[in-house]
Amino acid sequence: MTKGVLYFNIHKFLKDRIYLFNGKAVDALILINTPDSILFIKDWFGNNGTIFKKDDKLYFSVKCDENSLFYWLIQYGDNFTLIEPTDLLERLKDFYNKQAQRYNQ
């Protein structure tokens, strides 16, 4: 690497950001609620991440930009349940609580 020259890896940047938000990438663990939902994972994440089975349940582990993952989980909320990171889980709970209040008035 040349001293004083910054290198930007566009492939890594794009891999971690499915919606191209410029946020921090987080390690996430997601429960797959229905096996058919794997198609959504493959469509959006390609080979970025790992799908595995534990205790007869399917999980998806991925490193992704937090904002992109937030909106992706809202889009496919019936198909997946976020397990971690807890900060993002709290953000989702807050979002859904506000939506429930809005529509229950």
Side-chain angles (χ1 to χ4, degrees):
M1 182 184 282
T2 306
K3 189 174 182 174
V5 176
L6 297 176
Y7 288 92
F8 178 72
N9 186 332
I10 188 71
H11 297 291
K12 179 171 179 0
F13 180 83
L14 293 174
K15 182 180 84 165
D16 293 346
R17 288 159 181 84
I18 57 173
Y19 286 112
L20 299 181
F21 288 113
N22 192 18
K24 68 176 180 170
V26 297
D27 293 313
L29 179 62
I30 301 166
L31 174 65
I32 302 170
N33 297 332
T34 56
D36 292 343
S37 302
I38 292 173
L39 296 174
F40 299 127
I41 292 171
K42 290 300 184 184
D43 186 39
W44 282 91
F45 296 95
N47 292 324
N48 184 23
T50 304
I51 297 170
F52 63 95
K53 192 172 191 175
K54 180 179 177 186
D55 300 327
D56 292 326
K57 295 180 181 177
L58 284 174
Y59 293 91
F60 176 52
S61 175
V62 67
K63 184 173 187 124
C64 183
D65 150 59
E66 185 173 341
N67 288 323
S68 295
L69 194 54
F70 174 78
Y71 290 108
W72 186 82
L73 286 163
I74 290 170
Q75 182 175 355
Y76 294 104
D78 290 341
N79 305 75
F80 304 99
T81 302
L82 179 70
I83 306 298
E84 49 187 47
T86 54
D87 290 349
L88 182 55
L89 182 57
E90 290 305 315
R91 184 176 168 195
L92 280 167
K93 287 179 185 178
D94 185 53
F95 171 80
Y96 284 118
N97 285 333
K98 287 178 181 175
Q99 296 306 309
Q101 288 173 3
R102 175 179 292 139
Y103 290 104
N104 286 328
Q105 293 182 3

